[in-house]
Amino acid sequence: MKAFITSCLWLLATLGIAQDLQVPTLESKGINGKVKAIEWHTYQFVNDKGLTYVKKDVESYDESGRLTTISSHLIANNQTYKYVYTVDKKGLLTEIKVVNPANNLALQTTSYEYKKSLVTKTTQVQGPNTVERNYTYNKDNHLIAVEVIQNGTQQLTEYYEVDQEGRRTKLSRKLPNQAEVEVISTYTYETDNDRLITREKRNTDQGVFEITKYTDKSLNRDVREETKKVSTAQQGFKRQLFEDDSLGNWIKGEVIDDQFGRSALILRKIIYADGSETGRTQMESPLDDRGQFMRKYSQMQLVVNGRVVSQGYVHDIPNSKDRLTYVASEKAWYLLKDYDATSNMTSWGEAQIITNTPKAILYSEGSSGAIELYQEGKKLTSGTSTFTDYTKYEVGSSAIAYLRADINKSLVVKHANKLGGKVGVAELLDNHYYWGKATDSTYVLTGYGRSISVERQLEDSNGHKLVFDQVGSGFYWYYLPDFRKNFDNGQKGDVFPAVYLSKPIEEIKENNLLSIDFSNFLFDKLANGNYRIKTWKGDVVTNISSKPVKTPDNELIVYYPLTQQYLRMDGYYALENGKEHLNRKITPLLEGSPYGYYLHNEGKSIVFYKPGVRFTSYQFNSHKLDNNKCKYGALLYDSLTNASYSMNYDLEQPEVMGPMSRLPYTQGNVYLLKLEASRWVIFEKGAKVSDYDFSVLTEDDKEVVHFYKDEKNKVQAYRFPDFDTAEPGQFIYAYNLGADEVRKQLAELSIDPDLTPKSDEAELGNLQFSKSDGQFYMTNANGIYIQSRLGWFDSFGTAHLVTYDTVDHFLYRLEDYQLSETIEKGKVEVLISNEQNGVIRWGKNKALLAIAGQLQTDVNREYITVNGQDPVWKELIYDQSSGETYKFEYKNDSTFKILPIEKLPKNADAAYLIKVSDNSFDLVVKGDRIKDDGARSYNHNGDILRFFTPPGGKLSAYRFKGFSNAGYLDVIAAEIIPSAEVNVLLQQVGN
């Protein structure tokens, strides 16, 4: 405790609270500027309490900068004392009075006597005691002796020897009972740069001590004191630390003891004459916190502000001698400076507080990766698993991390390899998207601590970059401001913020992010066969489009994800190859959907697209919403992705392309399409469900419940909610009902638990129909009622009705259906069975291909006939799903017909030659007539040899055998020449 008191007295004496021989002034105290008052707030070490607030002093100064009063409040006993300084007309101090502010009574009075402006005597009166001090000076007016007399009795005399500058070189003392003067201390002085070093040798009852004091001459402040006991060589030191305001006046002073840590702290608040203030009156954490630690025998003790605290695990810091620990009670992290885990400590080490912000994240250089992260006493774990604390991505020596759970923040540590063993407090960021320079030629994009694949990118003239990542048919857009400047001027590992654009085209326009206007497009067809997409102002923006695809009707379309448009490069394939065609028209076909259907062949054929590709492996079915209109609801099931898409189209409307919507996933991909008049049809993986005997509306007409038997003959059910509010053409996804709910619905809806069909329908034989009072029934050849699964009703201008069984794939004609509203047993004729192939033709060039009874919509048709005056026309029709090509002919009129078809020999390219004359022919590939592909053809031994190079491929060849012997408009299938034989054959032809 004595050592602590000594430290505090040293601080107080050094900082100016001592016996005065003249009135203290701002100048004598080393205070700059005009000051009105100074508040001193003193904290001292107290056992079991640590650093404790003990005293508040308030100094007041007059306009001349002289101290006038001190108000001193002792916290422990709640006592206040006031010191009043009085000066004469010459400015000499005449009296210091200590009074009790409560009653204004004087507790102590000190008066001063002068000779030639030097104090010769002071008299201090406190109650019955009077202490007199007599002062003696040498010829240079330097104090050389002080005699102390109390109540008339001499107490002691002190003698001082001084050098020419008046600095004390020896202190001696003589008590009344001593025969000789006793030397107490000797002093020597030296200067080291801007430091004055005072060495004192002091004799005490405990032995001889050597005390060395270091003073900052420029600031006139003592900054360090070292003490050594001569007999034991035991040493100790104290440091005095200061914090200054902008005028150079200190506002915080600390005494740091090597044995006890910080023993005193004084905070000063300075009130200047102009009303401004600096400093503070209370300790603030962590600014004023200090810790020290001691380690012995594998045990470590941490003291914070003089109080022992319980700390957690001590963490190693890569590339550092320091260690890291956490104090839960303080919610604070401490850095243990120069921590030695292998030896016992003999003096306290410094524990530097890093932060006491709750849940703060700390970072250091990593041992195995770029960084390590810490929170609330533990080292956090990284990885892609949700059980880890964070994910991170490293760019060079920098790291981008995302903290999971309730934190949901990101952080960036730049160039962690330059931390040099230091620990930082992370700035937690709400932005989760960043990009970093990986090499001199590459960069990486990250989100939530993981890499983001950059599918396509576009940079504008100002160096801002727009990129997207494609996941399936979803596009995720990111904006990299000032990319070019940051990349070119940056170093490897530099990290910059990126911006995720949830509504990219809107945000680009509203915030003027890019110098590009995406409102309209043009295209160029280049001489090399490539293309480029431009804005109407000429900016080339091809880079952020999807891959283009060729349509069955020989157009080139591309999905532009930024504007969510399908764009058609009008007449692309009709433009002559080998030349540049600039600023050609682009027509938007579809907006707002990445999925689209494409009608061609006058609406008789349909294909389906997603960005950059055409659907290939799918099941498609459609159903008229109303038998009297051409509006359809349709569903496509993509077996590759196990996803279903819905669409609505009207064959009487001119739109070529329309949107498809990806339906919410359901087990089994089961959906209900609502028709007009509250009817419905159900699709399962693109196929229509056949049996609707137990597909019913609930009593409130709000839901449809569809009962069926599974492969184990167990009754199951789907529920389709909100049927009453759905519009015709809307799809409703199915809910699978559990066993208990199935039984409940069976009972509530009065459905036979075994799903036994009722026999209250019209009694019909095989292949008959009946209609009366708006009711219609039909049975097939097996006597099964099939009216619920019929579709595509049309009379084709006759008294009959043609309809199609969408399940068993039969095309029927209902004889004389239009002639009467009541028919009991109508005749039904099979036009095409599910074992037959054929073409259904009617109207102006309308046709449907039926293969094994199934109607094929994904087809290409091409005329064989070249003379429109021929009475009989011939066509080729290519089925894209099977790769087969068929030939059929017909009398050219608009009557409804069922035409037989001839399946042509199949080849991998579906390539066929049509002989037009002995010297000319047409080529049809996959149902499209090839106009100009730069091929060379030769008549060789009566065969046609055709050499060509497909786009991106190598030289290929077809052989069409028997061309010379073929007749007018005969069709010859291609024989594809093996690639190894092509060049040999070309050489033979050339010879």
Side-chain angles (χ1 to χ4, degrees):
M1 185 64 184
K2 181 180 179 182
F4 283 116
I5 295 174
T6 301
S7 297
C8 293
L9 292 176
W10 178 58
L11 176 68
L12 296 176
T14 305
L15 301 184
I17 302 179
Q19 178 72 43
D20 296 309
L21 294 183
Q22 57 186 3
V23 63
T25 64
L26 295 174
E27 182 180 1
S28 67
K29 287 177 171 285
I31 296 174
N32 304 315
K34 292 186 177 182
V35 172
K36 184 178 181 181
I38 301 176
E39 293 184 21
W40 301 60
H41 298 268
T42 304
Y43 296 79
Q44 287 181 211
F45 175 81
V46 176
N47 281 331
D48 299 326
K49 292 183 179 181
L51 203 63
T52 304
Y53 185 35
V54 295
K55 188 180 179 186
K56 173 185 177 182
D57 296 309
V58 180
E59 297 178 342
S60 299
Y61 294 85
D62 62 16
E63 293 182 353
S64 299
R66 295 176 299 203
L67 181 65
T68 58
T69 61
I70 300 176
S71 175
S72 182
H73 180 73
L74 301 178
I75 306 301
N77 58 12
N78 197 27
Q79 292 293 319
T80 301
Y81 302 94
K82 185 176 181 181
Y83 296 78
V84 181
Y85 292 77
T86 303
V87 297
D88 61 15
K89 294 180 179 180
K90 297 180 180 180
L92 299 177
L93 180 63
T94 59
E95 182 182 73
I96 300 177
K97 183 180 291 186
V98 181
V99 300
N100 183 349
N103 51 26
N104 210 29
L105 294 178
L107 303 176
Q108 182 189 88
T109 301
T110 303
S111 58
Y112 292 78
E113 298 178 17
Y114 293 88
K115 183 178 182 180
K116 296 181 180 181
S117 299
L118 294 176
V119 176
T120 56
K121 182 178 181 179
T122 64
T123 303
Q124 187 178 79
V125 178
Q126 184 173 350
N129 294 316
T130 299
V131 177
E132 297 173 315
R133 291 181 176 84
N134 297 308
Y135 300 90
T136 304
Y137 302 86
N138 64 11
K139 62 180 182 178
D140 296 321
N141 295 332
H142 296 143
L143 183 66
I144 57 175
V146 176
E147 179 188 29
V148 179
I149 301 172
Q150 182 174 352
N151 296 328
T153 303
Q154 186 184 48
Q155 299 296 314
L156 63 86
T157 302
E158 284 189 347
Y159 302 94
Y160 314 110
E161 294 183 12
V162 297
D163 61 14
Q164 293 181 352
E165 296 180 33
R167 296 179 302 190
R168 190 172 301 173
T169 57
K170 181 188 290 187
L171 166 63
S172 303
R173 180 182 298 152
K174 184 178 183 301
L175 300 176
N177 57 357
Q178 289 180 325
E180 296 188 10
V181 174
E182 177 186 10
V183 176
I184 304 298
S185 295
T186 59
Y187 305 87
T188 61
Y189 303 91
E190 63 181 87
T191 301
D192 180 16
N193 293 326
D194 202 31
R195 290 194 308 172
L196 173 65
I197 302 174
T198 304
R199 303 186 189 278
E200 176 186 2
K201 191 172 183 179
R202 182 182 300 176
N203 299 307
T204 70
D205 295 339
Q206 288 78 35
V208 179
F209 291 85
E210 293 178 351
I211 302 168
T212 304
K213 183 172 64 174
Y214 299 85
T215 304
D216 187 328
K217 292 176 63 179
S218 63
L219 299 174
N220 194 25
R221 295 176 188 170
D222 295 337
V223 294
R224 183 179 175 89
E225 182 177 287
E226 298 171 353
T227 304
K228 177 182 177 182
K229 189 173 184 179
V230 175
S231 61
T232 62
Q234 183 179 358
Q235 298 185 73
F237 70 86
K238 291 177 292 212
R239 290 179 295 138
Q240 189 159 276
L241 306 178
F242 296 92
E243 178 184 322
D244 292 351
D245 65 10
S246 60
L247 293 180
N249 298 321
W250 70 265
I251 53 178
K252 175 181 175 180
E254 299 176 87
V255 176
I256 308 298
D257 191 293
D258 69 326
Q259 185 176 1
F260 298 102
R262 180 170 57 180
S263 55
L265 165 71
I266 292 182
L267 299 176
R268 291 205 309 187
K269 178 181 177 182
I270 302 177
I271 299 115
Y272 290 92
D274 61 3
S276 62
E277 298 179 357
T278 60
R280 58 184 184 275
T281 62
Q282 293 181 336
M283 285 184 65
E284 293 182 5
S285 183
L287 291 176
D288 300 320
D289 289 335
R290 281 200 178 271
Q292 52 267 352
F293 69 96
M294 179 75 72
R295 183 191 176 281
K296 288 186 177 182
Y297 307 110
S298 301
Q299 299 295 318
M300 200 271 286
Q301 187 179 70
L302 179 63
V303 175
V304 177
N305 294 331
R307 181 171 54 86
V308 176
V309 296
S310 176
Q311 88 287 339
Y313 182 78
V314 176
H315 298 277
D316 290 342
I317 303 172
N319 300 320
S320 174
K321 295 180 180 180
D322 305 333
R323 297 293 185 270
L324 191 63
T325 193
Y326 181 73
V327 178
S329 61
E330 308 284 335
K331 295 183 174 58
W333 284 94
Y334 286 85
L335 191 68
L336 309 178
K337 304 290 288 184
D338 296 319
Y339 185 91
D340 188 348
T342 61
S343 62
N344 294 328
M345 300 173 63
T346 58
S347 62
W348 287 91
E350 180 183 358
Q352 176 184 326
I353 186 169
I354 299 174
T355 180
N356 63 349
T357 301
K359 296 185 180 297
I361 304 294
L362 273 61
Y363 63 84
S364 70
E365 183 179 355
S367 54
S368 58
I371 59 170
E372 302 285 0
L373 298 183
Y374 312 84
Q375 184 189 37
E376 294 185 323
K378 71 172 186 175
K379 182 186 292 185
L380 302 182
T381 58
S382 68
T384 57
S385 167
T386 55
F387 297 104
T388 56
D389 298 304
Y390 67 97
T391 56
K392 68 175 178 180
Y393 192 89
E394 297 178 0
V395 185
S397 61
S398 301
I400 304 160
Y402 168 69
L403 295 138
R404 297 192 179 93
D406 58 338
I407 300 178
N408 189 29
K409 300 282 186 179
S410 289
L411 62 89
V412 176
V413 179
K414 297 182 180 180
H415 304 291
N417 61 336
K418 297 181 180 179
L419 287 173
K422 295 181 180 179
V423 177
V425 180
E427 178 185 2
L428 299 183
L429 306 166
D430 291 321
N431 181 37
H432 302 303
Y433 301 98
Y434 299 89
W435 70 272
K437 184 172 182 177
T439 68
D440 288 339
S441 59
T442 62
Y443 72 96
V444 293
L445 178 65
T446 70
Y448 292 87
R450 301 183 182 186
S451 65
I452 296 174
S453 173
V454 176
E455 189 78 18
R456 300 284 182 90
Q457 54 189 317
L458 178 69
E459 188 173 320
D460 74 356
S461 58
N462 294 323
H464 307 309
K465 189 178 284 287
L466 181 69
V467 306
F468 72 76
D469 173 28
Q470 183 177 354
V471 181
S473 295
F475 295 84
Y476 301 89
W477 293 89
Y478 305 91
Y479 175 64
L480 282 54
D482 296 318
F483 172 86
R484 182 52 51 196
K485 179 182 70 175
N486 291 331
F487 186 87
D488 290 347
N489 298 330
Q491 302 176 4
K492 179 182 176 182
D494 283 357
V495 176
F496 307 94
V499 181
Y500 170 66
L501 305 178
S502 58
K503 298 179 179 179
I505 195 65
E506 294 180 20
E507 294 175 61
I508 289 171
K509 291 179 181 178
E510 291 175 2
N511 302 316
N512 196 26
L513 301 182
L514 297 172
S515 60
I516 300 174
D517 183 353
F518 295 94
S519 58
N520 288 291
F521 298 96
L522 301 169
F523 80 93
D524 298 336
K525 183 175 182 179
L526 306 179
N528 61 6
N530 291 331
Y531 72 94
R532 62 181 171 223
I533 299 175
K534 308 185 299 186
T535 67
W536 65 281
K537 290 185 176 181
D539 295 299
V540 178
V541 292
T542 317
N543 284 359
I544 55 172
S545 67
S546 294
K547 182 180 177 182
V549 288
K550 185 180 180 180
T551 66
D553 54 356
N554 220 33
E555 293 284 2
L556 188 64
I557 64 173
V558 64
Y559 181 67
Y560 206 77
L562 179 62
T563 57
Q564 295 183 312
Q565 293 175 304
Y566 273 92
L567 306 175
R568 183 178 67 201
M569 300 182 217
D570 294 348
Y572 180 87
Y573 288 104
L575 298 173
E576 184 179 355
N577 290 330
K579 295 183 179 180
E580 278 197 349
H581 304 273
L582 306 180
N583 300 322
R584 309 296 296 188
K585 180 183 178 184
I586 280 182
T587 300
L589 298 181
L590 173 63
E591 296 188 11
S593 175
Y595 312 105
Y597 64 83
Y598 189 89
L599 293 167
H600 63 102
N601 196 16
E602 298 184 354
K604 298 184 288 294
S605 301
I606 187 170
V607 291
F608 312 97
Y609 294 100
K610 52 187 172 182
V613 69
R614 191 168 112 183
F615 284 90
T616 54
S617 300
Y618 61 85
Q619 173 77 20
F620 172 75
N621 265 293
S622 62
H623 203 97
K624 269 191 174 184
L625 302 182
D626 188 316
N627 290 332
N628 297 320
K629 299 177 182 178
C630 291
K631 293 182 179 180
Y632 287 81
L635 186 139
L636 178 141
Y637 169 70
D638 181 13
S639 59
L640 293 178
T641 60
N642 192 31
S644 294
Y645 302 83
S646 67
M647 66 204 81
N648 297 106
Y649 55 85
D650 187 343
L651 294 181
E652 293 182 345
Q653 297 300 318
E655 285 83 2
V656 174
M657 200 168 189
M660 304 194 310
S661 298
R662 183 164 180 167
L663 294 170
Y665 173 77
T666 68
Q667 185 178 356
N669 278 271
V670 178
Y671 305 90
L672 176 146
L673 170 63
K674 184 173 182 179
L675 309 176
E676 298 283 358
S678 292
R679 296 178 299 116
W680 64 87
V681 63
I682 297 172
F683 296 84
E684 183 175 3
K685 291 188 175 180
K688 291 183 184 178
V689 171
S690 59
D691 189 357
Y692 293 87
D693 286 338
F694 299 99
S695 188
V696 296
L697 269 171
T698 55
E699 290 185 359
D700 56 6
D701 292 340
K702 289 186 176 181
E703 298 182 345
V704 170
V705 181
H706 177 78
F707 298 93
Y708 66 99
K709 288 187 177 181
D710 62 16
E711 64 276 3
K712 296 180 180 180
N713 208 34
K714 182 179 178 181
V715 177
Q716 305 283 6
Y718 296 121
R719 179 170 64 87
F720 300 95
D722 303 321
F723 179 84
D724 58 329
T725 58
E727 296 293 329
Q730 185 174 335
F731 283 82
I732 305 172
Y733 59 88
Y735 286 89
N736 291 73
L737 300 184
D740 292 341
E741 186 65 20
V742 169
R743 286 191 290 270
K744 178 183 176 183
Q745 291 291 341
L746 286 169
E748 289 182 358
L749 299 172
S750 301
I751 303 294
D752 181 82
D754 295 324
L755 302 188
T756 303
K758 296 181 179 180
S759 58
D760 57 353
E761 294 178 320
E763 294 293 335
L764 295 177
N766 296 347
L767 270 180
Q768 290 183 325
F769 75 91
S770 69
K771 69 172 185 173
S772 64
D773 299 328
Q775 297 294 321
F776 166 75
Y777 300 99
M778 178 178 166
T779 55
N780 62 13
N782 297 318
I784 298 173
Y785 287 93
I786 62 171
Q787 64 273 0
S788 62
R789 64 198 202 195
L790 296 178
W792 194 49
F793 296 85
D794 208 319
S795 65
F796 301 106
T798 68
H800 314 301
L801 182 68
V802 177
T803 186
Y804 180 66
D805 184 342
T806 60
V807 176
D808 288 341
H809 307 298
F810 278 76
L811 186 70
Y812 297 108
R813 179 167 61 205
L814 282 56
E815 300 287 341
D816 300 327
Y817 182 90
Q818 309 288 355
L819 298 181
S820 176
E821 293 298 322
T822 301
I823 300 176
E824 292 184 1
K825 292 185 178 182
K827 181 181 177 182
V828 177
E829 179 183 352
V830 176
L831 299 180
I832 298 180
S833 74
N834 58 11
E835 296 180 352
Q836 293 177 305
N837 302 333
V839 167
I840 308 161
R841 193 180 186 285
W842 74 100
K844 186 178 180 181
N845 198 28
K846 294 182 179 180
L848 277 175
L849 173 66
I851 304 298
Q854 294 195 47
L855 301 181
Q856 307 299 314
T857 57
D858 194 3
V859 299
N860 289 341
R861 292 169 55 195
E862 186 59 62
Y863 291 107
I864 299 173
T865 301
V866 294
N867 186 355
Q869 303 302 316
D870 289 351
V872 176
W873 284 25
K874 299 178 182 180
E875 286 189 43
L876 293 180
I877 187 165
Y878 171 67
D879 178 17
Q880 303 200 54
S881 61
S882 66
E884 299 284 0
T885 302
Y886 302 87
K887 173 185 170 185
F888 65 98
E889 58 184 58
Y890 51 90
K891 183 180 179 182
N892 187 24
D893 57 35
S894 60
T895 59
F896 175 79
K897 321 176 173 63
I898 304 296
L899 304 172
I901 59 176
E902 175 189 350
K903 183 163 70 171
L904 299 178
K906 187 176 182 181
N907 60 77
D909 291 352
Y912 299 90
L913 177 149
I914 302 170
K915 183 172 181 178
V916 179
S917 70
D918 289 340
N919 298 316
S920 64
F921 61 87
D922 286 336
L923 180 66
V924 175
V925 176
K926 294 184 179 179
D928 289 325
R929 191 178 300 269
I930 304 302
K931 296 180 179 180
D932 179 13
D933 61 354
R936 292 173 290 167
S937 301
Y938 305 91
N939 193 324
H940 182 64
N941 298 330
D943 301 336
I944 291 294
L945 295 178
R946 188 173 190 275
F947 297 90
F948 63 98
T949 302
K954 58 184 179 178
L955 184 65
S956 304
Y958 294 147
R959 184 198 307 274
F960 298 98
K961 289 186 176 181
F963 176 80
S964 296
N965 297 326
Y968 174 63
L969 298 187
D970 280 355
V971 179
I972 305 173
E975 174 191 332
I976 301 176
I977 305 300
S979 58
E981 302 176 12
V982 172
N983 288 317
V984 176
L985 186 59
L986 181 60
Q987 186 176 7
Q988 292 176 358
V989 173
N991 293 337

